[in-house]
């Protein structure tokens, strides 16, 4: 479709409605970012009115286009666009409460608060990577289900600005999208050459066209961002591309305000006088927080297009049911984000007497991958080390969309953010992995997934000092406690087969929060347990009658704790509690928790920072300094963390404790 110079007589009014609604909501809240709303309103209008395939009455319609506002500070503009488009999930009274406590219109978009927001954003750059993840999910699902026509066939749109593009996570994700030729990904670049501190050129001088071309993207340019016909035509051309497309659209930040084209308008609300001046400059005479009927009429096309598209999708769904009932039932399952998991897969599993949990978890993972072909795995160029791989599958690529292995390269942050996008799309799950010490590169994405209730899964291996010769840069100290501190997030550090199985079951079936699983490089002695005990988050794995002391431990240190208990059995009666998941344990009732953390002395053993364990323990054994390079046993001996030295430490402390 070619759009004429003036799409219709109401386009300017619609764009200015978005501008003024957003600016006045920001002024009313005395907080927000009017610059992007005034400058990029023509972009979001062009997208919503002429292209975006959504059903405003059913915001979860499966084959809808996904929209990611990577520049999440422009939320007022997005809410205004949703209002004039007729979304039933948002009303003007909601919009008036922009940025207020418990509002449906928070400062940055949040998907679990307002239906119609596909994914929440805020930290700049991540939305670009999230969009890449959503496009990967669309490609996978289309390949799986489009056997009798284009049943699943939607685009992912990302609106981003200069700040997003400057973030390293964006550069990482752009490289991955270009390699995978994700042609259903269309990114709209609000290029206004201004950011908070001043001109973009003060900090950045790369050439955008060359940057994207070098990464195998289609590049389009719109020189006048106020020309909605040009913007719409560029989007139409992007839909025909065989590569992902970026459309650089030159806009004027703060258009119509006295501060236009300056950094003063980026994040500072206009006052009442300046709002009046804005209205005069735009010749906008509609009363505050009122949508003119002609705007409503013009934007009815969004609803009509969405309803028609959903009807066609439902016809395709009926055709699928008739042609292939098994495939139809699979669609119904994954559309509800339900994934296959069966404990019977592990009935005949054989476990070596000593094994690393990275190996054990990899073995546990394989049946889940074989029984869920929309389940992705991948690592930051560390598959051979983390062992997170689909052994019976191939790499996912443009020519092999059936593949389950994603090769991310050394791009931890983008990897975790792409995982968020894949998972947020609905219908796919994803595990991404790297060394635990590098989880800090991923943490912002895990945090955003927790905020947005997206059940992404991350597996971090090489969990302690015992990685050895690589030294302190590769030896995690504070990472486990810091990951445990993330709200709405579960962390598992398994010590045996049952704990690995339950960690995977919990993560795969989770629907509203991310899960992190920590595995070991080193092998250690295995002590079996019952999975029903594991489900409590903490349980007694080694017991004795009339115990005098309890040792709490996790992961590979459980075996150490049991060895210590054996060394001390003639002097102190000790029971050992494995705590694979602190947060799952905290969800148990007080009676059960009191049976684990009883009135006897408590000692914790975990090879990480000790501070968090003071919540439970009277004596904490761990490490509160960086490690050293050397053989694992030499390092443990140096830091007094061998079973023999821990035994001596506990005995001295216990005798003093009981005086």
């Amino acid at each position: 479709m070619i759009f004429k110079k003036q799409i219709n007589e109401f386009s300017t009014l619609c764009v200015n409605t978005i501008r003024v609604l957003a600016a006045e909501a920001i002024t009313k809240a005395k907080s927000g970012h009017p610059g992007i709303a005034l400058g990029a309103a023509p972009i979001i209008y062009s997208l919503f009115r002429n292209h975006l395939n959504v059903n405003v009455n059913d915001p979860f319609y499966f084959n809808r286009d996904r929209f990611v506002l990577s520049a999440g500070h422009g939320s007022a503009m997005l809410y205004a666009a949703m209002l004039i488009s007729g979304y039933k999930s948002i009303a003007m009274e909601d919009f008036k409460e922009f940025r207020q406590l418990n509002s449906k219109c928070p400062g940055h978009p949040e998907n679990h608060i307002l239906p119609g927001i596909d994914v929440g954003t805020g930290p700049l750059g991540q939305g670009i990577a999230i969009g890449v993840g959503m496009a990967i999910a669309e490609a996978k699902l289309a390949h799986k289900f489009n056997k009798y026509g284009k049943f699943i066939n939607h685009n992912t749109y990302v609106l981003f600005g200069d700040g997003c593009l400057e973030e390293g996570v964006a550069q990482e994700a752009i490289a991955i999208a270009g390699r995978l030729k994700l042609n259903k990904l269309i990114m709209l670049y609000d290029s206004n050459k201004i950011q908070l501190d001043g001109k973009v050129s003060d900090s950045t001088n790369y050439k955008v066209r060359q940057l994207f071309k070098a990464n195998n993207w289609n590049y389009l340019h719109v020189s006048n961002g106020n020309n909605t016909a040009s913007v719409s035509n560029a989007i139409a051309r992007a839909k025909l591309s065989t590569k992902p497309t970026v459309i650089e659209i030159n806009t004027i930040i703060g258009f119509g305000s006295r501060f236009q084209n300056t950094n003063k308008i980026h994040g500072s609300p206009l006052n009442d006088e300046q709002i009046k001046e804005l209205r005069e400059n735009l010749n906008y005479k509609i009363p505050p927080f009122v949508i003119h009927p002609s705007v409503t009429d013009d934007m009815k096309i969004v609803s009509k297009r969405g309803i028609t598209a959903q009807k066609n999708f439902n016809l395709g769904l009926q055709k699928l049911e008739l042609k292939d009932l098994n495939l139809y039932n699979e669609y119904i399952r994954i559309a509800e984000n339900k994934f296959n998991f069966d404990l019977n897969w592990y009935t005949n599993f054989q476990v070596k007497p000593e094994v690393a949990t990275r190996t054990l978890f990899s073995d546990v993972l394989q049946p889940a991958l074989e029984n869920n072909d929309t389940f992705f795995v991948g690592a930051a160029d560390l598959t051979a080390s983390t062992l997170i791989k689909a052994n019976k599958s191939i790499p996912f690529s443009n020519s092999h969309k059936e593949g389950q292995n994603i090769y991310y390269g050394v791009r931890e942050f983008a990897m975790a953010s792409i995982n968020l996008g894949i998972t947020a799309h609905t219908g796919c799950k994803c595990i991404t992995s790297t060394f635990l010490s590098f989880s800090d590169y991923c943490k912002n994405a895990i945090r955003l997934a927790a905020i947005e209730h997206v059940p992404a899964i991350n597996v971090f291996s090489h969990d302690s000092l015992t990685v050895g010769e690589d030294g302190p840069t590769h030896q995690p100290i504070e990472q486990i406690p810091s990951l445990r501190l993330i709200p709405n997030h579960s962390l598992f550090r398994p010590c045996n087969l049952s704990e690995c199985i339950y960690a995977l079951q919990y993560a795969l079936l989770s629907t509203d929060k991310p899960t992190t699983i920590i595995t070991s490089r080193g092998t250690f002695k295995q002590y079996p347990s019952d999975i029903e005990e594991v489900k409590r988050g903490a349980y007694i794995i080694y017991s004795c009658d009339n115990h005098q002391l309890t040792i709490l431990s996790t992961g590979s240190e459980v075996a150490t704790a049991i060895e210590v208990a054996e060394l001390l059995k003639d002097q102190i009666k000790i029971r050992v509690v494995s705590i694979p998941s602190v947060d799952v344990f905290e969800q148990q009732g007080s009676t059960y928790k009191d049976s684990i953390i009883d009135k006897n002395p408590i000692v914790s053993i975990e090879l990480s920072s000790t501070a968090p364990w003071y919540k439970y323990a009277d004596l904490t054994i761990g490490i509160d300094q960086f490690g050293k390079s050397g053989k694992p046993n030499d390092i443990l001996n140096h830091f007094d963390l061998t079973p023999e030295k821990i035994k001596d430490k506990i005995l001295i402390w216990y005798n003093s404790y009981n005086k």
Side-chain angles (χ1 to χ4, degrees), residues 63-106:
N63 197 43
R64 69 190 183 279
D65 287 338
R66 268 54 170 188
F67 175 69
V68 182
L69 182 65
S70 186
H73 56 279
S75 59
M77 174 184 65
L78 174 56
Y79 302 144
M82 292 175 68
L83 266 177
I84 69 170
S85 297
Y87 275 81
K88 298 298 185 288
S89 56
I90 182 172
M92 186 61 76
E93 292 307 308
D94 301 318
F95 185 65
K96 289 180 182 179
E97 294 301 303
F98 174 64
R99 285 193 168 224
Q100 305 308 300
L101 184 64
N102 295 324
S103 170
K104 291 176 72 175
C105 299

Short mmCIF file of all heavy atoms in Angstrom, two decimals, residues 63-106:
data_model
loop_
_atom_site.label_atom_id
_atom_site.label_comp_id
_atom_site.label_asym_id
_atom_site.label_seq_id
_atom_site.Cartn_x
_atom_site.Cartn_y
_atom_site.Cartn_z
N ASN A 63 -1.99 -13.86 17.57
CA ASN A 63 -1.26 -13.47 16.36
C ASN A 63 -1.15 -11.96 16.19
O ASN A 63 -0.89 -11.46 15.10
CB ASN A 63 -1.90 -14.09 15.11
CG ASN A 63 -0.96 -14.06 13.92
OD1 ASN A 63 0.22 -14.35 14.04
ND2 ASN A 63 -1.49 -13.69 12.76
N ARG A 64 -1.33 -11.23 17.26
CA ARG A 64 -1.18 -9.78 17.19
C ARG A 64 0.28 -9.42 16.92
O ARG A 64 1.20 -10.16 17.24
CB ARG A 64 -1.61 -9.13 18.51
CG ARG A 64 -0.66 -9.43 19.67
CD ARG A 64 -1.22 -8.98 21.00
NE ARG A 64 -0.26 -9.21 22.08
CZ ARG A 64 -0.06 -10.37 22.70
NH1 ARG A 64 -0.75 -11.44 22.32
NH2 ARG A 64 0.82 -10.48 23.68
N ASP A 65 0.49 -8.26 16.31
CA ASP A 65 1.83 -7.71 16.25
C ASP A 65 2.28 -7.36 17.66
O ASP A 65 1.48 -6.92 18.50
CB ASP A 65 1.85 -6.43 15.40
CG ASP A 65 1.70 -6.72 13.91
OD1 ASP A 65 1.99 -7.85 13.49
OD2 ASP A 65 1.29 -5.79 13.18
N ARG A 66 3.56 -7.56 17.92
CA ARG A 66 4.12 -7.15 19.21
C ARG A 66 4.75 -5.77 19.06
O ARG A 66 5.40 -5.48 18.04
CB ARG A 66 5.17 -8.14 19.68
CG ARG A 66 4.67 -9.26 20.57
CD ARG A 66 3.53 -10.04 20.01
NE ARG A 66 3.23 -11.25 20.80
CZ ARG A 66 2.38 -12.17 20.43
NH1 ARG A 66 1.73 -12.05 19.28
NH2 ARG A 66 2.16 -13.22 21.18
N PHE A 67 4.54 -4.94 20.08
CA PHE A 67 5.13 -3.60 20.08
C PHE A 67 5.93 -3.41 21.35
O PHE A 67 5.43 -3.63 22.46
CB PHE A 67 4.06 -2.51 19.97
CG PHE A 67 4.64 -1.12 20.08
CD1 PHE A 67 5.45 -0.62 19.08
CD2 PHE A 67 4.39 -0.33 21.19
CE1 PHE A 67 6.00 0.65 19.18
CE2 PHE A 67 4.93 0.94 21.30
CZ PHE A 67 5.74 1.43 20.29
N VAL A 68 7.18 -3.00 21.19
CA VAL A 68 8.08 -2.77 22.33
C VAL A 68 8.52 -1.31 22.30
O VAL A 68 9.14 -0.86 21.33
CB VAL A 68 9.32 -3.68 22.27
CG1 VAL A 68 10.20 -3.44 23.49
CG2 VAL A 68 8.91 -5.14 22.17
N LEU A 69 8.18 -0.59 23.35
CA LEU A 69 8.65 0.79 23.49
C LEU A 69 9.97 0.74 24.25
O LEU A 69 10.01 0.83 25.48
CB LEU A 69 7.62 1.65 24.23
CG LEU A 69 7.98 3.13 24.40
CD1 LEU A 69 8.06 3.83 23.04
CD2 LEU A 69 6.97 3.83 25.31
N SER A 70 11.06 0.56 23.50
CA SER A 70 12.36 0.46 24.15
C SER A 70 12.68 1.74 24.91
O SER A 70 13.25 1.70 26.00
CB SER A 70 13.45 0.15 23.12
OG SER A 70 14.69 -0.08 23.76
N ALA A 71 12.30 2.87 24.33
CA ALA A 71 12.44 4.15 25.03
C ALA A 71 11.26 4.30 25.98
O ALA A 71 10.34 5.11 25.76
CB ALA A 71 12.48 5.29 24.02
N GLY A 72 11.29 3.51 27.03
CA GLY A 72 10.12 3.38 27.91
C GLY A 72 9.72 4.64 28.63
O GLY A 72 8.59 4.76 29.11
N HIS A 73 10.63 5.62 28.68
CA HIS A 73 10.27 6.90 29.30
C HIS A 73 9.21 7.64 28.49
O HIS A 73 8.61 8.60 28.98
CB HIS A 73 11.51 7.78 29.48
CG HIS A 73 12.26 8.03 28.21
ND1 HIS A 73 13.15 7.12 27.68
CD2 HIS A 73 12.26 9.09 27.36
CE1 HIS A 73 13.66 7.61 26.57
NE2 HIS A 73 13.13 8.79 26.34
N GLY A 74 8.97 7.18 27.25
CA GLY A 74 7.90 7.77 26.43
C GLY A 74 6.54 7.15 26.67
O GLY A 74 5.68 7.18 25.78
N SER A 75 6.33 6.60 27.85
CA SER A 75 5.09 5.86 28.15
C SER A 75 3.84 6.70 27.98
O SER A 75 2.80 6.19 27.54
CB SER A 75 5.16 5.30 29.57
OG SER A 75 5.33 6.34 30.52
N ALA A 76 3.89 7.99 28.31
CA ALA A 76 2.69 8.83 28.19
C ALA A 76 2.22 8.86 26.74
O ALA A 76 1.01 8.87 26.46
CB ALA A 76 2.97 10.24 28.70
N MET A 77 3.17 8.89 25.82
CA MET A 77 2.84 8.85 24.39
C MET A 77 2.16 7.53 24.03
O MET A 77 1.17 7.51 23.28
CB MET A 77 4.11 9.03 23.57
CG MET A 77 3.94 8.87 22.07
SD MET A 77 5.51 8.99 21.18
CE MET A 77 6.38 7.52 21.79
N LEU A 78 2.67 6.44 24.57
CA LEU A 78 2.08 5.12 24.29
C LEU A 78 0.67 5.03 24.86
O LEU A 78 -0.25 4.56 24.17
CB LEU A 78 2.96 4.02 24.87
CG LEU A 78 2.42 2.59 24.80
CD1 LEU A 78 2.09 2.20 23.36
CD2 LEU A 78 3.43 1.62 25.40
N TYR A 79 0.49 5.48 26.09
CA TYR A 79 -0.85 5.43 26.69
C TYR A 79 -1.83 6.28 25.90
O TYR A 79 -2.99 5.89 25.69
CB TYR A 79 -0.81 5.92 28.15
CG TYR A 79 0.13 5.16 29.05
CD1 TYR A 79 0.82 5.81 30.05
CD2 TYR A 79 0.31 3.78 28.92
CE1 TYR A 79 1.68 5.12 30.90
CE2 TYR A 79 1.17 3.09 29.76
CZ TYR A 79 1.85 3.78 30.76
OH TYR A 79 2.70 3.09 31.59
N ALA A 80 -1.38 7.44 25.43
CA ALA A 80 -2.25 8.31 24.63
C ALA A 80 -2.63 7.63 23.32
O ALA A 80 -3.78 7.69 22.87
CB ALA A 80 -1.56 9.64 24.37
N ALA A 81 -1.67 6.96 22.69
CA ALA A 81 -1.96 6.25 21.44
C ALA A 81 -2.95 5.11 21.67
O ALA A 81 -3.83 4.86 20.84
CB ALA A 81 -0.66 5.70 20.84
N MET A 82 -2.81 4.42 22.79
CA MET A 82 -3.75 3.36 23.12
C MET A 82 -5.15 3.93 23.36
O MET A 82 -6.15 3.34 22.95
CB MET A 82 -3.26 2.59 24.34
CG MET A 82 -2.00 1.77 24.10
SD MET A 82 -1.36 0.99 25.61
CE MET A 82 -2.66 -0.22 25.96
N LEU A 83 -5.21 5.09 24.01
CA LEU A 83 -6.51 5.72 24.27
C LEU A 83 -7.23 6.06 22.98
O LEU A 83 -8.41 5.70 22.81
CB LEU A 83 -6.30 7.00 25.09
CG LEU A 83 -6.40 6.93 26.60
CD1 LEU A 83 -6.08 8.29 27.20
CD2 LEU A 83 -7.79 6.47 27.04
N ILE A 84 -6.56 6.73 22.07
CA ILE A 84 -7.26 7.16 20.85
C ILE A 84 -7.52 5.97 19.92
O ILE A 84 -8.39 6.04 19.05
CB ILE A 84 -6.51 8.27 20.10
CG1 ILE A 84 -5.21 7.77 19.49
CG2 ILE A 84 -6.26 9.46 21.02
CD1 ILE A 84 -4.56 8.78 18.54
N SER A 85 -6.79 4.87 20.14
CA SER A 85 -7.02 3.67 19.32
C SER A 85 -8.18 2.84 19.83
O SER A 85 -8.60 1.89 19.16
CB SER A 85 -5.74 2.81 19.28
OG SER A 85 -4.68 3.52 18.67
N GLY A 86 -8.67 3.15 21.02
CA GLY A 86 -9.87 2.48 21.52
C GLY A 86 -9.62 1.25 22.38
O GLY A 86 -10.53 0.43 22.56
N TYR A 87 -8.41 1.09 22.93
CA TYR A 87 -8.16 -0.04 23.82
C TYR A 87 -9.15 -0.01 24.99
O TYR A 87 -9.30 1.01 25.67
CB TYR A 87 -6.74 0.01 24.37
CG TYR A 87 -5.70 -0.60 23.47
CD1 TYR A 87 -5.18 0.10 22.39
CD2 TYR A 87 -5.22 -1.89 23.70
CE1 TYR A 87 -4.21 -0.45 21.56
CE2 TYR A 87 -4.25 -2.45 22.88
CZ TYR A 87 -3.76 -1.73 21.81
OH TYR A 87 -2.80 -2.28 20.99
N LYS A 88 -9.79 -1.14 25.23
CA LYS A 88 -10.76 -1.21 26.32
C LYS A 88 -10.09 -1.31 27.69
O LYS A 88 -10.74 -1.13 28.72
CB LYS A 88 -11.67 -2.44 26.11
CG LYS A 88 -12.50 -2.38 24.84
CD LYS A 88 -13.46 -1.19 24.84
CE LYS A 88 -14.37 -1.19 23.63
NZ LYS A 88 -13.67 -0.84 22.39
N SER A 89 -8.80 -1.60 27.70
CA SER A 89 -8.10 -1.79 28.97
C SER A 89 -7.69 -0.48 29.63
O SER A 89 -7.26 -0.48 30.78
CB SER A 89 -6.85 -2.66 28.75
OG SER A 89 -6.01 -2.09 27.76
N ILE A 90 -7.82 0.63 28.90
CA ILE A 90 -7.40 1.92 29.45
C ILE A 90 -8.51 2.95 29.23
O ILE A 90 -9.11 3.01 28.16
CB ILE A 90 -6.07 2.38 28.81
CG1 ILE A 90 -5.61 3.70 29.42
CG2 ILE A 90 -6.17 2.46 27.29
CD1 ILE A 90 -4.21 4.13 28.96
N ALA A 91 -8.77 3.73 30.26
CA ALA A 91 -9.77 4.79 30.18
C ALA A 91 -9.10 6.13 30.48
O ALA A 91 -8.00 6.18 31.02
CB ALA A 91 -10.90 4.54 31.18
N MET A 92 -9.77 7.21 30.14
CA MET A 92 -9.20 8.53 30.37
C MET A 92 -8.91 8.76 31.85
O MET A 92 -7.91 9.41 32.21
CB MET A 92 -10.13 9.62 29.83
CG MET A 92 -9.55 11.02 29.89
SD MET A 92 -8.03 11.21 28.91
CE MET A 92 -8.72 11.29 27.26
N GLU A 93 -9.76 8.23 32.71
CA GLU A 93 -9.51 8.39 34.15
C GLU A 93 -8.22 7.69 34.57
O GLU A 93 -7.52 8.16 35.48
CB GLU A 93 -10.71 7.86 34.95
CG GLU A 93 -11.98 8.68 34.79
CD GLU A 93 -11.74 10.16 35.07
OE1 GLU A 93 -11.18 10.48 36.14
OE2 GLU A 93 -12.12 10.99 34.22
N ASP A 94 -7.91 6.57 33.92
CA ASP A 94 -6.63 5.91 34.18
C ASP A 94 -5.48 6.81 33.74
O ASP A 94 -4.47 6.97 34.44
CB ASP A 94 -6.53 4.58 33.42
CG ASP A 94 -7.62 3.61 33.79
OD1 ASP A 94 -7.93 3.49 34.99
OD2 ASP A 94 -8.16 2.96 32.87
N PHE A 95 -5.63 7.38 32.56
CA PHE A 95 -4.58 8.21 31.98
C PHE A 95 -4.32 9.45 32.84
O PHE A 95 -3.17 9.89 32.99
CB PHE A 95 -4.99 8.61 30.57
CG PHE A 95 -3.93 9.36 29.82
CD1 PHE A 95 -2.73 8.76 29.49
CD2 PHE A 95 -4.15 10.68 29.43
CE1 PHE A 95 -1.75 9.46 28.78
CE2 PHE A 95 -3.19 11.38 28.72
CZ PHE A 95 -1.98 10.78 28.40
N LYS A 96 -5.36 10.00 33.41
CA LYS A 96 -5.20 11.19 34.26
C LYS A 96 -4.36 10.88 35.51
O LYS A 96 -3.80 11.79 36.12
CB LYS A 96 -6.57 11.74 34.68
CG LYS A 96 -7.35 12.41 33.57
CD LYS A 96 -8.69 12.90 34.10
CE LYS A 96 -9.52 13.54 33.01
NZ LYS A 96 -10.84 13.99 33.51
N GLU A 97 -4.32 9.61 35.86
CA GLU A 97 -3.54 9.19 37.04
C GLU A 97 -2.13 8.77 36.67
O GLU A 97 -1.47 8.04 37.43
CB GLU A 97 -4.27 8.05 37.75
CG GLU A 97 -5.61 8.44 38.36
CD GLU A 97 -5.44 9.55 39.39
OE1 GLU A 97 -4.67 9.35 40.35
OE2 GLU A 97 -6.06 10.62 39.20
N PHE A 98 -1.65 9.21 35.52
CA PHE A 98 -0.31 8.90 35.06
C PHE A 98 0.73 9.15 36.15
O PHE A 98 0.75 10.20 36.78
CB PHE A 98 0.00 9.77 33.83
CG PHE A 98 1.40 9.67 33.31
CD1 PHE A 98 1.89 8.48 32.80
CD2 PHE A 98 2.24 10.80 33.32
CE1 PHE A 98 3.19 8.40 32.31
CE2 PHE A 98 3.53 10.72 32.82
CZ PHE A 98 4.01 9.52 32.33
N ARG A 99 1.54 8.12 36.39
CA ARG A 99 2.64 8.16 37.36
C ARG A 99 2.20 8.28 38.81
O ARG A 99 3.02 8.53 39.70
CB ARG A 99 3.63 9.30 37.03
CG ARG A 99 4.51 8.97 35.82
CD ARG A 99 5.67 9.93 35.67
NE ARG A 99 6.62 9.38 34.69
CZ ARG A 99 7.94 9.36 34.83
NH1 ARG A 99 8.48 9.87 35.92
NH2 ARG A 99 8.72 8.85 33.90
N GLN A 100 0.92 8.08 39.09
CA GLN A 100 0.45 8.11 40.47
C GLN A 100 0.43 6.69 41.05
O GLN A 100 0.39 5.70 40.32
CB GLN A 100 -0.94 8.75 40.55
CG GLN A 100 -1.01 10.13 39.93
CD GLN A 100 0.07 11.07 40.45
OE1 GLN A 100 0.14 11.35 41.65
NE2 GLN A 100 0.92 11.57 39.55
N LEU A 101 0.42 6.61 42.36
CA LEU A 101 0.47 5.31 43.04
C LEU A 101 -0.69 4.42 42.60
O LEU A 101 -1.85 4.83 42.60
CB LEU A 101 0.42 5.52 44.56
CG LEU A 101 0.55 4.26 45.41
CD1 LEU A 101 1.92 3.61 45.23
CD2 LEU A 101 0.33 4.59 46.89
N ASN A 102 -0.36 3.19 42.22
CA ASN A 102 -1.32 2.16 41.80
C ASN A 102 -2.06 2.50 40.50
O ASN A 102 -3.11 1.92 40.21
CB ASN A 102 -2.34 1.87 42.92
CG ASN A 102 -1.68 1.27 44.15
OD1 ASN A 102 -0.74 0.48 44.02
ND2 ASN A 102 -2.15 1.65 45.32
N SER A 103 -1.51 3.43 39.73
CA SER A 103 -2.14 3.77 38.45
C SER A 103 -1.91 2.65 37.44
O SER A 103 -0.91 1.94 37.48
CB SER A 103 -1.53 5.07 37.92
OG SER A 103 -1.94 5.31 36.59
N LYS A 104 -2.85 2.51 36.50
CA LYS A 104 -2.66 1.60 35.37
C LYS A 104 -1.68 2.19 34.35
O LYS A 104 -1.32 1.51 33.39
CB LYS A 104 -4.00 1.32 34.69
CG LYS A 104 -4.95 0.48 35.53
CD LYS A 104 -6.30 0.31 34.85
CE LYS A 104 -6.21 -0.64 33.66
NZ LYS A 104 -7.56 -0.91 33.07
N CYS A 105 -1.27 3.43 34.58
CA CYS A 105 -0.34 4.12 33.68
C CYS A 105 0.90 4.56 34.46
O CYS A 105 1.08 5.75 34.75
CB CYS A 105 -1.02 5.33 33.05
SG CYS A 105 -2.47 4.94 32.05
N PRO A 106 1.74 3.61 34.83
CA PRO A 106 2.94 3.96 35.59
C PRO A 106 3.96 4.70 34.75
O PRO A 106 3.80 4.86 33.53
CB PRO A 106 3.47 2.60 36.04
CG PRO A 106 2.98 1.64 35.01
CD PRO A 106 1.64 2.17 34.57
#
